[in-house]
Amino acid sequence: MATWESGEHEPLPHMRPLLADLLGVDAARLDDMINEAERPSSRAAGAAADERVRRSQGEWLAVRRAAARRGRELSELAAWLYPESVRAWDGHVLAGPGWLLDTPIPLEDVRLEFDVTHPAAPPLTAPLDGVLPLTDRGERYPSYSRAVRDLVLPRLLENRVSYRLLDVRAEEGLALRFGTTTFFEVFDVKEYVAHEFKAAFVRSRGSVPRLDDLPIRAGVPDPFDPHRWLVSPGISTLTIRHDPVAGHRFTLHQRDPTAVADGGGMCSVVPSGEFQSSTTAATDVRNDFSLWHNIMREYSEEFLGNPEHDGAGTRAIDYAHEEPFTADAVARLQPRLSSGSASLLRTAWRDRDLLLAC
């Protein structure tokens, strides 16, 4: 079939009736189709279409690769497109109203609310042709995540349920309201605006783009409006090892850009991860709706190497009776820990005191 479609060979005579029946055409129409494929103009058109696809995919990949080496710098430049009122202290990070607290608060003072009637994911109004390449068929890719899955190594495979932030209230501690979304939904919208910014930066040979040059980003004037923008937070836990001999230390992790499709090169504390449920089951979406549960699973995966707790599980986790979570709960109540994991004390740091800050 491939050699027939490419025009390298014609179907043999005894195969033509079967092929005509398969295509739903008569013998005369099949002969016309074969003759059209043999015409130089048809082959030239096909070659031109193939070149258009290769150019589209090559340019798209070049933007991802060229700008990836300057990811942090570009992120900081993009933050300066917004007014000072929504930028954090140093101006390089965006923060919504009430998101930054004057003093740390205990984890138990963070109240989570689950909203089952949350609004649907907001659509983007600006055209996406400039940030999506062509498929091998010459059509525009339907989403950024699908293009990454097909064109980028390593491939992006896991599309799990994520908790979607809907509201932040700094009252009597901190109140956070959530609905649900998916990892791919959030990945798509953030990569659209990131790719748009990178492409404009590359086209201008290093000049900082203006908001007028970024129609997708400009179409969402308030990035903290949950009705206009998807926000799915991650949880990063600073783990400090108290050691009066060697000095207090903490662990960092840099994401290998050759091993991940998202966040390559990012350096963060350990553990860190998306605020997600452990499975896609509706019962687990509610069972895992806890900052502490998410932190314990990240410790289990990243420090203890338990693959069953990496968020791709197939069964519900019994946090009250299943290790290492029962030991974690006990350790959190001990005066030697502000928060923490007894399993980590035994296996990773040999019974050192730990101070954990989420």
Side-chain angles (χ1 to χ4, degrees):
M1 288 292 290
T3 57
W4 297 347
E5 293 175 352
S6 65
E8 296 178 20
H9 301 285
E10 292 184 6
L12 296 174
H14 71 278
M15 294 294 296
R16 295 193 178 200
L18 180 61
L19 182 58
D21 183 61
L22 179 65
L23 296 175
V25 299
D26 56 27
R29 175 57 185 149
L30 179 64
D31 288 339
D32 288 341
M33 294 168 66
I34 294 173
N35 292 333
E36 288 173 3
E38 292 178 341
R39 293 172 189 160
S41 60
S42 176
R43 292 186 180 180
D50 289 344
E51 177 58 29
R52 180 167 163 262
V53 168
R54 284 193 292 270
R55 185 171 62 252
S56 172
Q57 294 181 359
E59 291 174 351
W60 183 83
L61 288 169
V63 169
R64 284 184 61 87
R65 292 166 182 160
R69 295 190 293 270
R70 307 178 67 176
R72 177 177 176 179
E73 176 189 351
L74 296 182
S75 296
E76 294 178 353
L77 290 175
W80 283 81
L81 293 171
Y82 297 89
E84 186 177 356
S85 59
V86 296
R87 297 201 304 266
W89 302 299
D90 59 1
H92 299 315
V93 178
L94 301 183
W99 284 28
L100 298 178
L101 305 179
D102 294 331
T103 58
I105 62 173
L107 188 62
E108 53 268 21
D109 288 347
V110 181
R111 304 187 310 283
L112 303 188
E113 304 168 2
F114 192 83
D115 187 348
V116 296
T117 62
H118 61 82
L124 296 175
T125 57
L128 301 176
D129 289 359
V131 296
L132 291 172
L134 297 177
T135 69
D136 290 345
R137 296 170 59 90
E139 304 162 349
R140 192 69 58 183
Y141 266 98
S143 68
Y144 205 94
S145 53
R146 181 58 185 265
V148 169
R149 191 194 73 173
D150 290 351
L151 304 178
V152 177
L153 292 175
R155 299 185 185 277
L156 186 67
L157 298 176
E158 295 289 344
N159 186 27
R160 301 199 292 265
V161 176
S162 295
Y163 296 108
R164 175 185 170 192
L165 185 63
L166 297 174
D167 189 32
V168 178
R169 301 191 310 277
E171 52 186 39
E172 299 180 358
L174 187 65
L176 306 176
R177 183 163 60 90
F178 290 90
T180 56
T181 181
T182 67
F183 177 76
F184 278 10
E185 280 186 325
V186 178
F187 178 83
D188 285 342
V189 295
K190 72 178 184 181
E191 289 297 324
Y192 290 148
V193 295
H195 194 99
E196 179 185 56
F197 188 90
K198 294 172 186 177
F201 184 83
V202 171
R203 284 196 306 269
S204 66
R205 300 180 182 273
S207 297
V208 180
R210 300 173 304 165
L211 199 56
D212 293 342
D213 302 325
L214 309 169
I216 301 175
R217 186 182 295 265
V220 187
D222 183 359
F224 305 104
D225 181 356
H227 296 277
R228 300 292 304 276
W229 190 248
L230 281 173
V231 179
S232 178
I235 299 175
S236 297
T237 306
L238 173 63
T239 308
I240 302 175
R241 174 183 175 179
H242 286 275
D243 190 331
V245 177
H248 306 329
R249 291 175 288 170
F250 61 92
T251 305
L252 294 174
H253 170 246
Q254 185 166 14
R255 292 172 64 84
D256 183 355
T258 66
V260 297
D262 183 32
M266 180 186 298
C267 186
S268 62
V269 298
V270 181
S272 293
E274 296 283 330
F275 187 24
Q276 296 179 318
S277 60
S278 58
T279 77
T280 58
T283 55
D284 291 325
V285 172
R286 297 305 298 267
N287 182 48
D288 296 327
F289 184 55
S290 162
L291 299 181
W292 178 236
H293 286 180
N294 205 96
I295 291 170
M296 287 193 294
R297 291 204 317 272
E298 292 293 338
Y299 271 115
S300 178
E301 176 198 354
E302 297 185 16
F303 279 108
L304 303 182
N306 291 325
E308 64 269 28
H309 300 147
D310 65 358
T314 58
R315 62 177 183 82
I317 296 175
D318 185 353
Y319 292 96
H321 302 96
E322 184 176 333
E323 292 291 357
F325 307 114
T326 52
D328 292 344
V330 171
R332 189 180 172 196
L333 299 176
Q334 294 177 356
R336 296 181 65 193
L337 300 176
S338 294
S339 179
S341 168
S343 300
L344 293 179
L345 289 173
R346 291 194 302 269
T347 62
W349 293 319
R350 305 303 179 191
D351 203 28
R352 295 291 185 182
D353 293 340
L354 299 180
L355 173 65
L356 309 183
C358 172

